[in-house]
């Protein structure tokens, strides 16, 4: 008779993290990568390069920027800078997630490795699920999800690359758009503080304005100004409530 798995073992939590590949966030991301495969096929980017950038760059918007830079003939330094700046948004995600999953014995080199897999989908999934995992198994749980999600999408884009070139552009665009829609709705549902609701609302409102006024910096300006305004407003409200 086979003994049940040790609930304290790292492999147990890694396997549980792998099961997250069947979750709604993972499925939506995979559909988005089908749209990305269609985009790269239309752009005539070789499939081996598409698979390589899927694993190495990982965050989907950064890959779109990279492909756009390649198509525009931008210098490699320009493409590097654009991708780097687009990925700066991952720093707050890493800063928020790492304290949730590490413990006193977690080596720094392991945290650096798992940080590579921090992107919108993995971050939202982990922030919702790791609180139900014992702290000693959280790194293994996140690694199981992140590694499986990355490898699955590498294989996926390789398999569908030839077929998706026949998709109508509207289908590819809709598939690609699923990820930001899911991200916004997930953050709204999982938010625990009113400042997050304020930041999302103000940022979305400002985004429509900056898309017309300053389209090159619309996301950056909407995020910085919206987040700052929400933080100051919530801070002022807390002071007023405390003074009562």
């Amino acid at each position: 008779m086979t003994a049940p798995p040790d609930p304290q073992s790292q492999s147990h939590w890694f396997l549980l993290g792998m099961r997250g590949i069947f979750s709604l966030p993972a499925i939506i991301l995979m559909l988005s990568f089908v749209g990305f495969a269609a985009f790269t096929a239309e752009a005539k980017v070789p499939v081996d390069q598409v698979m390589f950038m899927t694993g190495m760059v990982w965050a989907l918007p950064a890959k779109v920027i990279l492909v756009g830079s390649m198509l525009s003939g931008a210098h490699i330094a320009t493409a590097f800078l654009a991708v780097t700046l687009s990925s700066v948004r991952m720093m707050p995600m890493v800063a928020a997630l790492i304290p949730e999953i590490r413990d006193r014995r977690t080596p720094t080199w392991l945290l650096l490795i798992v940080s590579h897999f921090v992107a919108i989908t993995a971050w939202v999934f982990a922030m919702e699920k790791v609180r139900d995992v014992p702290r000693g198994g959280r790194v293994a749980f996140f690694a199981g999800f992140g590694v499986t999600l990355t490898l699955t999408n590498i294989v996926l884009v390789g398999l569908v690359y030839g077929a998706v070139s026949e998709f109508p552009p509207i289908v590819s665009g809709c598939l690609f758009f699923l990820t930001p829609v899911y991200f916004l709705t997930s953050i709204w549902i999982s938010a625990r503080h009113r400042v997050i609701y304020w930041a999302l609302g103000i940022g979305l409102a400002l985004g429509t304005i900056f898309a017309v006024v300053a389209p090159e910096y619309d996301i950056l300006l909407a995020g910085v100004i919206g987040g700052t305004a929400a933080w100051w407003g919530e801070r002022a409200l807390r002071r007023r409530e405390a003074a009562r």
Side-chain angles (χ1 to χ4, degrees):
M1 184 174 180
T2 304
D6 180 8
Q8 300 302 320
S9 69
Q10 297 300 304
S11 59
H12 170 73
W13 294 113
F14 188 90
L15 291 173
L16 282 181
M18 290 179 64
R19 289 169 55 183
I21 195 66
F22 302 107
S23 64
L24 181 60
I27 293 172
I28 290 177
L29 183 65
M30 287 188 282
L31 290 173
S32 298
F33 266 98
V34 173
F36 174 70
F39 173 54
T40 54
E42 185 177 350
K44 309 300 181 185
V45 180
V47 64
D48 56 334
Q49 294 184 23
V50 177
M51 295 175 69
F52 179 78
M53 74 173 68
T54 297
M56 297 306 295
V57 180
W58 187 222
L60 195 52
K63 283 190 281 291
V64 174
I65 292 173
L66 178 58
V67 173
S69 300
M70 294 166 61
L71 293 176
S72 67
H75 191 276
I76 187 171
T78 303
F80 174 81
L81 179 62
V83 172
T84 300
L85 290 175
S86 75
S87 299
V88 169
R89 63 195 171 87
M90 303 299 176
M91 292 180 63
M93 295 183 186
V94 174
L97 179 63
I98 292 302
E100 295 288 336
I101 64 175
R102 72 179 305 174
D103 61 19
R104 291 177 297 176
R105 297 173 297 176
T106 308
T108 301
W109 63 264
L110 182 57
L111 294 175
L112 292 173
I113 292 175
V114 299
S115 294
H116 173 71
F117 302 103
V118 176
I120 290 173
T121 300
W123 183 80
V124 170
F125 177 85
M127 294 300 286
E128 290 179 352
K129 302 296 184 180
V130 293
R131 292 180 176 85
D132 299 325
V133 177
R135 184 165 288 275
R138 291 181 180 183
V139 172
F141 178 82
F142 178 74
F145 179 71
V147 171
T148 304
L149 188 63
T150 304
L151 293 178
T152 300
N153 281 292
I154 292 174
V155 174
L156 179 64
V157 296
L159 292 176
V160 304
Y161 181 87
V164 294
S165 59
E166 305 299 325
F167 283 6
I170 186 64
V171 174
S172 300
C174 289
L175 289 172
F176 188 78
F177 195 61
L178 284 174
T179 293
V181 170
Y182 170 77
F183 171 68
L184 289 174
T185 54
S186 297
I187 293 296
W188 186 272
I189 293 172
S190 62
R192 293 175 174 81
H193 303 287
R194 60 192 174 194
V195 67
I196 299 177
Y197 297 116
W198 295 3
L200 282 173
I202 297 172
L204 287 172
L206 291 177
T208 60
I209 298 174
F210 288 125
V212 177
V213 177
E216 300 88 350
Y217 307 101
D218 52 354
I219 296 177
L220 175 64
L221 292 173
V224 171
I225 297 175
T228 302
W231 181 79
W232 278 107
E234 202 270 342
R235 184 185 181 190
L237 183 58
R238 277 192 286 112
R239 286 181 173 179
R240 182 179 300 177
E241 291 174 344
R244 290 178 181 176

